[in-house]
Amino acid sequence: MSSNRYFKHQGPWSDAADPLMCTDTGDWRTKRPVVDKEKCIFCGFCAIYCPIGVMVMQGDTHFEADLDFCKGCGICAKECPKGAIIMISEGEFVS
Amino acid sequence: MNTTTAPKRIKVITGNAAAAIAAKLARPDVVAAYPITPQTEVIEQISTFHASGEMDCELITVEGENSAMNAVMAASLAGGRVFTASSSWGLVFMYDAVLAVAGARAPVVMVNVNRETPGIIAVSSGQQDMISTRDAGWIFLIAEDCQEVLDLVLQAYRLAEDYDIQLPVMVHYDGFFLSYLSEGVDIPEQETVDRFLSVLKDQPKRTVLTPGRKLGVGSHGILGGYMELRHKHVTAMERSKAKFEEIDREFDGIFGRTYGGQVEEYRTDDADMVLVGSGSMCGTIKSVIDDQREKGVRIGLVKIRMYRPFPHQALVAALKGKKAIGVVDRSLAFGFDGGPIYTELKAFETRLDGAQLISFIDGIANTDITKTNVEKMIRMTGDLADGKDVPEVTWVSYPDANTKGEK
Amino acid sequence: MAEKKKGRLTKVLDYLKHDDPFSKGVAFCPGCGLELLLRFIPRVLGNDIVITGTPSCSAPVLLGQNNQSWHTLSYFGTLMTGAAANATGLVRYYRKAGIDNTVVCFNGDGTANDIGFGNLSGAAERNEPFIYICYDNEGYMNTGIQKSGTTPFGATTTTTPYGTVSRGKNLRRMNLGLKMAMNKIPYTATATLSDLDDLARKLLKAKEAKERGFCFLHVFAPCPTGWGADPADTIEICRQAVKTNYFPLWEAENGRIRMTKTVKKPKPVNTYTKLMKKFNHMTEADHVILQDDVDYEYCLLGGLSVLEAECQLPVSVKDQGETS
Ligand SMILES: Cc1ncc(C[n+]2csc(CCOP(=O)(O)OP(=O)(O)O)c2C)c(N)n1
Ligand code: SF4
Ligand code: SF4
Ligand code: SF4
């Protein structure tokens, strides 16, 4: 019998019972969405339109991007009806 | 073929009918197929069984062979027992899925009614379709007569769905000859077949695709993972050789018929010369051998029943120490001197203790491998045994190919 | 602190009843429409769907690598050529075995409209009980942005480049959704990402309708990388595609077409085309040709919906029943 180093099964079965694969897509970002809590009306458009779904609800006040995975596409900023999100160059955050 | 005195229900039917009846007896969950000469009768029969309620399966009347193979692949991976049937262009049109089935280790069972592949109008016999797909990663079995078509389909399920094997199996039989030939076939009782197949229920469950289960299939591996899967595939193929022999013995116990496993040896024990063949030609060869034996010619036949994995150990054991071996191919291998099976056997020449090999090409383009043709092959193989100068390759029914300079 | 003015949370969130089964970090380009759609489907339909995927931009995420996976859905990674036949095999076996299922056959336009159209058509003829979703990014993106049958007139791709004797694709795009609706399958719909409530409703409707047979969703999903668009504009592109009637939103039960969104004053198509570089080179004359095409298709759609209402549905189609 052959080894089971990569596969538990005879055939090409992948098993999501194991931890999922994950890429640090946050590293791709050149611009970062920054939310103005005061302007935010908690409508959730940024959340539904974010392709990754990383605009996370903060209590019942506003939304904030999960920067570990946010790719910086800018959709949230573009779709926010209140202009509460601005995209700021990542360079600004390098201290 | 040895037979015991088990109760018989002989019916005179075609090879195609035998395939359809075998499929019915195996109780598949899903059947998908598309018509093509000379296979069409198989799906017509299955449709009739289905329409009359005799066959309780999901019958998918697909819009092409590619979909037939894709549908049965998925149904098999979801856990079903499946069946399909095709031939030549149909087999080629499903070829991408044929490869995918093997890669996914889906235990699909199908029959392929051999037909030539080039030539759309030249609807004719030949095994080129089998040869063109030989390394798809399927187990290939070849039947000699209508009874063996039925028996091999049943054995194919035992092999394909065996937990230690989990590989697709294709049962080949000669189009135009076996497909349309009617002969007496012993049709087993449903209960007997159920008993023969019941072993498959008592083994560990294979991995299947079930809604809600966090499991996916088909991405295949990359790098080391890819090689691991390929290596597992190769080793499962190798295991199938012994498993096939085991299944054949068990089949004998239940049905009273045995064929000898990977190869069938006919009057080889004291033979100096042997013909190696496969499929329907073997019936003719056997009868010529009987005639020649009367005249004192020590000739035998080795019939290839399992073509993939290539049964080289069994072949070497059967052929070792013979003086001359004539290999009959019903197809071509381009760039090699000789037919494909001849070429493959050549790789083991050094293990044959000095046996010499020659190649015969015959039976393509609907030419019949007649008794006269077989006699000629035996004569030439005899000449080879006697140390005479014999051409390496002979197109038995096409003398033009054998003139000097053209070969 | 001043009292903050609160809006109401968008009702789209109410449709997202299930977890996102995907890993957070997956390798779709920033702003990819496909990513939004792919995560959206199981959040609406549930995580117990079985999804099939083919070689395409969706494949690297749908399909696992060796023993590992990017998501927790049951999936079958298969060939571009036979996707609908694969889904057929699954649903037929599940039916035979009495296993409840929602099979989603998820493919790009390359598979759906081109190389896999034969088996899509066959599945529609046989009225196979599953949901086929085509995400239309108007080309073969995974192999590097080549033309497909749904690439529109004028668009540049790597096989319809702009040159001295060529001005992008010189052929019309095919109307995949309409082609499918004409088969009188229980449910056909178009959808896009700007109108997510419409998309969610259509997904749920398809889930119900698939109990009666084949369902087809044609979802317009921009590809910022391949179209030369600002990733931030993905939703705006969808919105303008609807507002210009470039991609009208409709549904058809048993082939009866009904607009799900009517645009009162459609904007000229260049308000859409100007959002991306693939149309950059187009002259005014080219735009007339494209506009003509858009107008014609829309007119045809309207005409068909009126005609359909006038024609008596054949019994064979009526027998398929309707969604409640
Ligand atoms: C039979 C076959 N031909 C060609 C390819 C190469 N190929 C891989 S992905 C792809 C394009 C897929 O296009 P589409 O379905 O529109 O998906 P997209 O990449 O746009 O997401 C092609 C042609 C293939 N995988 N299989
Ligand atoms: S879209 Fe703007 S206003 Fe609405 S929740 Fe997001 S940040 Fe707040
Ligand atoms: S920038 Fe893009 S990825 Fe990041 S939170 Fe906004 S929409 Fe999501
Ligand atoms: S190429 Fe286009 S469709 Fe593919 S991942 Fe990137 S944005 Fe999405």
Side-chain angles (χ1 to χ4, degrees):
Chain A
M1 294 249 175
S2 330
S3 77
N4 280 332
R5 231 178 102 200
Y6 295 92
F7 285 94
K8 289 186 214 161
H9 312 265
Q10 270 294 309
W13 293 85
S14 61
D15 214 323
D18 291 347
L20 295 182
M21 287 179 288
C22 195
T23 304
D24 291 330
T25 48
D27 285 358
W28 302 0
R29 200 175 48 245
T30 56
K31 283 181 182 167
R32 175 185 299 192
V34 176
V35 181
D36 183 335
K37 295 178 201 170
E38 295 308 312
K39 281 192 187 162
C40 174
I41 55 162
F42 202 62
C43 64
F45 283 123
C46 54
I48 60 163
Y49 287 131
C50 169
I52 321 173
V54 288
M55 264 294 176
V56 190
M57 215 182 261
Q58 307 293 321
D60 61 356
T61 57
H62 68 287
F63 284 76
E64 201 94 59
D66 177 347
L67 295 176
D68 287 343
F69 300 106
C70 162
K71 296 174 185 171
C73 67
I75 288 178
C76 52
K78 179 101 188 179
E79 293 303 321
C80 173
K82 290 288 158 191
I85 305 174
I86 43 169
M87 300 302 292
I88 297 176
S89 170
E90 279 295 325
E92 308 271 315
F93 299 94
V94 185
S95 51
Chain B
M1 177 171 64
N2 305 326
T3 49
T4 65
T5 48
K8 302 259 182 273
R9 288 143 303 271
I10 308 284
K11 265 180 84 177
V12 178
I13 56 169
T14 62
N16 281 340
I21 291 169
K24 180 182 72 150
L25 288 167
R27 301 182 192 271
D29 298 296
V30 175
V31 178
Y34 190 81
I36 182 169
T37 304
Q39 156 268 29
T40 306
E41 186 190 359
V42 179
I43 70 158
E44 286 175 346
Q45 287 255 3
I46 288 177
S47 303
T48 310
F49 295 146
H50 185 261
S52 66
E54 262 182 277
M55 202 167 167
D56 176 25
C57 66
E58 288 283 338
L59 179 62
I60 313 175
T61 48
V62 284
E63 75 298 329
E65 288 87 353
N66 190 271
S67 286
M69 186 51 68
N70 273 298
V72 295
M73 161 162 60
S76 173
L77 290 170
R81 173 171 295 167
V82 301
F83 182 77
T84 186
S86 196
S87 174
S88 64
W89 297 112
L91 182 63
V92 177
F93 184 44
M94 57 169 64
Y95 189 51
D96 60 348
V98 166
L99 293 171
V101 162
R105 303 286 301 273
V108 170
V109 170
M110 76 174 283
V111 295
N112 180 60
V113 193
N114 298 114
R115 174 181 146 183
E116 285 293 282
T117 33
I120 294 160
I121 305 297
V123 179
S124 61
S125 67
Q127 287 176 329
Q128 197 70 49
D129 54 1
M130 174 182 88
I131 294 302
S132 310
T133 51
R134 62 185 152 177
D135 285 315
W138 286 53
I139 293 171
F140 277 10
L141 307 176
I142 312 173
E144 174 190 332
D145 55 28
C146 298
Q147 182 71 60
E148 200 175 3
V149 170
L150 186 143
D151 293 349
L152 271 187
V153 170
L154 298 179
Q155 294 188 11
Y157 280 104
R158 278 288 302 270
L159 198 51
E161 294 179 15
D162 190 289
Y163 188 76
D164 291 334
I165 308 295
Q166 297 186 50
L167 283 169
V169 181
M170 201 180 296
V171 175
H172 295 270
Y173 57 93
D174 286 311
F176 309 95
F177 293 100
L178 288 190
S179 59
Y180 302 148
L181 172 86
S182 290
E183 53 185 13
V185 174
D186 176 16
I187 299 166
E189 296 283 356
Q190 182 68 60
E191 294 78 18
T192 321
V193 175
D194 288 348
R195 180 152 52 92
F196 176 64
L197 296 178
S198 65
V199 195
L200 296 169
K201 290 189 190 131
D202 306 329
Q203 50 174 7
K205 286 251 174 297
R206 66 185 168 94
T207 316
V208 297
L209 192 66
T210 310
R213 209 171 148 205
K214 300 176 178 183
L215 214 50
V217 69
S219 42
H220 229 82
I222 50 166
L223 303 173
Y226 183 81
M227 287 185 273
E228 178 184 316
L229 286 177
R230 289 309 264 175
H231 189 251
K232 278 179 171 167
H233 196 144
V234 166
T235 47
M237 273 286 205
E238 204 52 34
R239 283 198 296 277
S240 73
K241 293 178 174 175
K243 184 62 77 175
F244 187 45
E245 308 265 334
E246 192 185 311
I247 292 168
D248 183 71
R249 284 192 294 275
E250 210 185 304
F251 191 88
D252 188 22
I254 294 180
F255 298 91
R257 276 189 299 280
T258 175
Y259 298 88
Q262 304 165 60
V263 299
E264 179 190 335
E265 294 185 52
Y266 187 76
R267 304 188 80 163
T268 50
D269 278 353
D270 63 341
D272 301 323
M273 297 177 286
V274 172
L275 287 184
V276 174
S278 63
S280 65
M281 70 171 83
C282 294
T284 317
I285 294 176
K286 283 175 187 171
S287 86
V288 177
I289 287 175
D290 290 346
D291 296 346
Q292 299 270 321
R293 283 271 174 179
E294 303 257 304
K295 296 179 197 152
V297 183
R298 302 214 301 192
I299 175 87
L301 166 74
V302 169
K303 176 180 110 179
I304 295 180
R305 301 185 67 239
M306 178 180 244
Y307 176 54
R308 277 295 182 272
F310 192 64
H312 65 89
Q313 300 94 333
L315 282 168
V316 167
L319 298 172
K320 207 177 170 130
K322 306 298 177 198
K323 280 190 185 152
I325 299 159
V327 184
V328 195
D329 272 288
R330 236 181 161 132
S331 54
L332 309 175
F334 296 96
F336 289 92
D337 291 323
I341 300 177
Y342 166 79
T343 306
E344 294 187 344
L345 198 51
K346 263 297 235 196
F348 299 95
E349 196 173 18
T350 54
R351 301 185 199 172
L352 295 177
D353 291 351
Q356 297 191 70
L357 291 118
I358 45 171
S359 170
F360 298 109
I361 311 278
D362 204 10
I364 60 176
N366 263 354
T367 52
D368 199 355
I369 304 183
T370 60
K371 281 192 160 192
T372 318
N373 290 10
V374 176
E375 280 158 11
K376 183 178 174 188
M377 296 181 213
I378 292 175
R379 216 166 36 243
M380 289 179 72
T381 311
D383 287 349
L384 182 70
D386 294 344
K388 291 189 192 150
D389 191 17
V390 183
E392 190 182 354
V393 191
T394 305
W395 289 52
V396 185
S397 299
Y398 186 60
D400 287 9
N402 307 322
T403 53
K404 279 216 172 68
E406 209 185 312
K407 200 198 84 184
Chain C
M1 200 166 72
E3 183 72 0
K4 212 166 79 175
K5 201 172 143 239
K6 280 280 160 69
R8 282 219 348 254
L9 266 176
T10 161
K11 64 179 189 293
V12 173
L13 286 167
D14 298 340
Y15 285 109
L16 305 178
K17 290 199 164 35
H18 307 274
D19 291 337
D20 181 351
F22 287 88
S23 172
K24 278 275 168 265
V26 298
F28 292 120
C29 308
C32 173
L34 163 60
E35 175 161 12
L36 176 52
L37 176 64
L38 193 53
R39 290 179 187 274
F40 193 78
I41 294 166
R43 292 188 74 187
V44 174
L45 293 181
N47 285 191
D48 55 356
I49 58 170
V50 178
I51 193 160
T52 72
T54 58
S56 64
C57 271
S58 63
V61 173
L62 270 185
L63 278 49
Q65 271 177 30
N66 292 341
N67 196 47
Q68 282 191 292
S69 199
W70 295 101
H71 61 83
T72 58
L73 303 172
S74 304
Y75 77 86
F76 180 22
T78 179
L79 303 160
M80 287 182 79
T81 44
N86 294 128
T88 299
L90 293 178
V91 292
R92 291 296 195 100
Y93 173 67
Y94 293 143
R95 182 158 83 189
K96 177 76 168 49
I99 299 169
D100 278 344
N101 66 86
T102 300
V103 172
V104 175
C105 186
F106 187 76
N107 306 292
D109 48 289
T111 282
N113 187 78
D114 297 357
I115 199 169
F117 186 71
N119 55 78
L120 164 58
S121 161
E125 187 241 347
R126 297 186 306 270
N127 203 19
E128 302 289 356
F130 66 89
I131 306 171
Y132 194 115
I133 299 178
C134 168
Y135 65 94
D136 190 355
N137 51 25
E138 302 189 330
Y140 309 153
M141 297 321 180
N142 192 240
T143 32
I145 337 288
Q146 290 84 28
K147 174 224 85 151
S148 79
T150 61
T151 305
F153 173 83
T156 48
T157 67
T158 55
T159 49
T160 57
Y162 172 69
T164 42
V165 293
S166 150
R167 296 199 316 273
K169 187 179 172 183
N170 193 23
L171 303 160
R172 313 177 60 227
R173 75 181 152 144
M174 298 176 95
N175 194 331
L176 179 58
L178 212 49
K179 276 199 285 205
M180 296 315 296
M182 289 299 104
N183 296 304
K184 305 279 156 201
I185 49 178
Y187 192 66
T188 317
T190 64
T192 191
L193 306 170
S194 51
D195 294 65
L196 288 173
D197 48 346
D198 179 73
L199 170 62
R201 202 183 50 78
K202 286 170 173 170
L203 281 169
L204 292 171
K205 217 163 171 181
K207 186 173 180 174
E208 209 185 316
K210 72 116 175 57
E211 299 300 327
R212 294 181 281 110
F214 194 65
C215 297
F216 184 83
L217 259 56
H218 183 197
V219 187
F220 181 76
C223 162
T225 308
W227 295 6
D230 180 348
D233 276 344
T234 295
I235 305 301
E236 182 59 17
I237 287 172
C238 297
R239 197 173 285 124
Q240 294 309 328
V242 175
K243 288 193 170 167
T244 54
N245 283 339
Y246 176 86
F247 195 86
L249 299 180
W250 52 269
E251 65 183 2
E253 272 192 73
N254 298 324
R256 295 206 154 196
I257 295 163
R258 186 179 77 82
M259 304 307 297
T260 55
K261 184 162 188 162
T262 31
V263 184
K264 287 220 178 71
K265 276 197 187 133
K267 294 189 195 162
V269 75
N270 68 358
T271 52
Y272 163 76
T273 55
K274 71 177 185 207
L275 293 169
M276 61 209 92
K277 293 198 184 107
K278 70 173 173 180
F279 297 111
N280 258 2
H281 59 283
M282 275 171 72
T283 60
E284 231 166 82
D286 291 336
H287 264 107
V288 170
I289 297 174
L290 184 63
Q291 182 70 58
D292 235 26
D293 218 31
V294 167
D295 293 346
Y296 168 77
E297 291 287 327
Y298 189 77
C299 176
L300 187 67
L301 197 63
L304 277 171
S305 64
V306 172
L307 260 179
E308 284 278 356
E310 283 172 5
C311 299
Q312 183 73 28
L313 262 193
V315 182
S316 54
V317 175
K318 251 193 207 149
D319 281 354
Q320 285 175 182
E322 271 177 36
T323 316
S324 51

